[in-house]
Amino acid sequence: MRAVRGRVLTLRANPFLAEPRECLVHHEDGLVVMRGGRITAFGAYELTKGALPPGVVPAEYPNALILPGLIDTHVHYPQIQMVGAFGAQLLGWLERYTFPAEASFADRRHAEDTARLFLREVLACGTTTAAVYCTVHPHSVDAFFAESERFNTRMVAGKVLMDRNAPSALLDTAESGYRESEALIRRWHGRGRQLYGVTPRFAPACTEAQLDAAGALLRAHDGLYLQTHLSESPAEVAWVQELFPARGSYLDVYAHAGLVGPRSVFGHAIHVDEADLCTCHRTGAALSHCPTSNLFLGSGLFRLFDALDPRRPVRTGLGTDIGAGTTLSLVRTLGEAYKVAALRGDKLDAVRALWLATAGGAEALHLEDRIGRIAVGYEADLCVLDTAASPLLAHRARYCTDIEELLFVQMTLGPERVQATWVAGEPVYEAARTPDPYRY
Ligand code: GUN
Ligand code: ZN
């Protein structure tokens, strides 16, 4: 049994659908007790300390915010080697930077080394669950899940499927993609906390036969995810119209192959219309908002408040989309989500922002009954932000008048790396533990 004590913040309901302040659960001096990977007691320290057996001393985090572990609903681990590549929009960027980087994963050792670095960097940013694209090479998936299993993180990942419009070294076929994905599903899906995501890259890189094969995989195995890209840039949308002239919209290409439903996660979804949003609402499909990526590639401004319109809310999470995105930190990503909303004339307050990076991400992944909140029975994944991480931040924090301002300032000024990250009730990253802050 373990416990943490400090200022705790979590959400009890969706602040896009209810008054944000009423959704917030806040304890100035809170206690979270964990056993067997789950939260067994949670509340104000004075009222909850009776749940601590003699001899269990809580880890104390003064000057900190203890949050649920953060959830990244869209990220490419093989792309950490080309983050911040200069001067291209989506399609040129894929050709010039992304495909060569992913080709280097033909080397299994490179995949293993990168997966190791990636997972440690993700944990250092307070992220405890992510929906991860690997490469077309099956061993890139083995490398990632092996690393995730070591830390016992709850992760979704899958082998990229693409059978056209990419260098030949990166192409599979509808048949080989099906076969290799199925072997990975049997090896990893539901093993411990690992979950498999069928991962057709995007419609322009997949023939109709390959999209149909992805649909067949989803029908053949229970509880799989489907992750892909949707309507990210205007040139991409025009290309999809050319490649699939019979379909009513980009989303319709995926729907026709049986790829739109619960546990489908569509990255970007900037250039979608009301009918597409209604389809996502009706089917339980989710969108991943990736603001740093969208700003960096100049793809456009996601309509966050339309997606979450209470009349037909669409499950929506936050994505870093490394390597088009420019940070693995979801806290930083929220700062950019605020700016994207501002450019559209909307205001993303701190409570709604926290929801996007925690319970909203969990809803997007249909895992809202086990992650994304601090509550009894939930999986014990936590992230601890240091509110005095720099002299500037400590100074600024002294002038915050309430908890929402303190949280908002973290989004704007906070560092990439957090103070501590806990996974399934164990501390896996502690910034103060030197020289090696990682548990494994
Ligand atoms: N569309 C197809 N592949 C990709 C990718 O790797 N990154 C982004 N941002 N968009 C894509
Ligand atoms: Zn992406």
Side-chain angles (χ1 to χ4, degrees), residues 74-76 79 133 229 232 268 321-322:
H74 185 113
V75 61
H76 302 253
Q79 296 180 14
Y133 289 58
H229 298 85
E232 180 177 358
H268 307 290
D321 193 30
I322 287 285

Side-chain angles (χ1 to χ4, degrees), residues 76 79 90 93-94 98 201-202 229 232 268 293 297 321 324:
H76 302 253
Q79 296 180 14
L90 173 64
W93 173 87
L94 284 171
T98 314
R201 177 169 222 117
F202 68 157
H229 298 85
E232 180 177 358
H268 307 290
S293 168
L297 294 182
D321 193 30

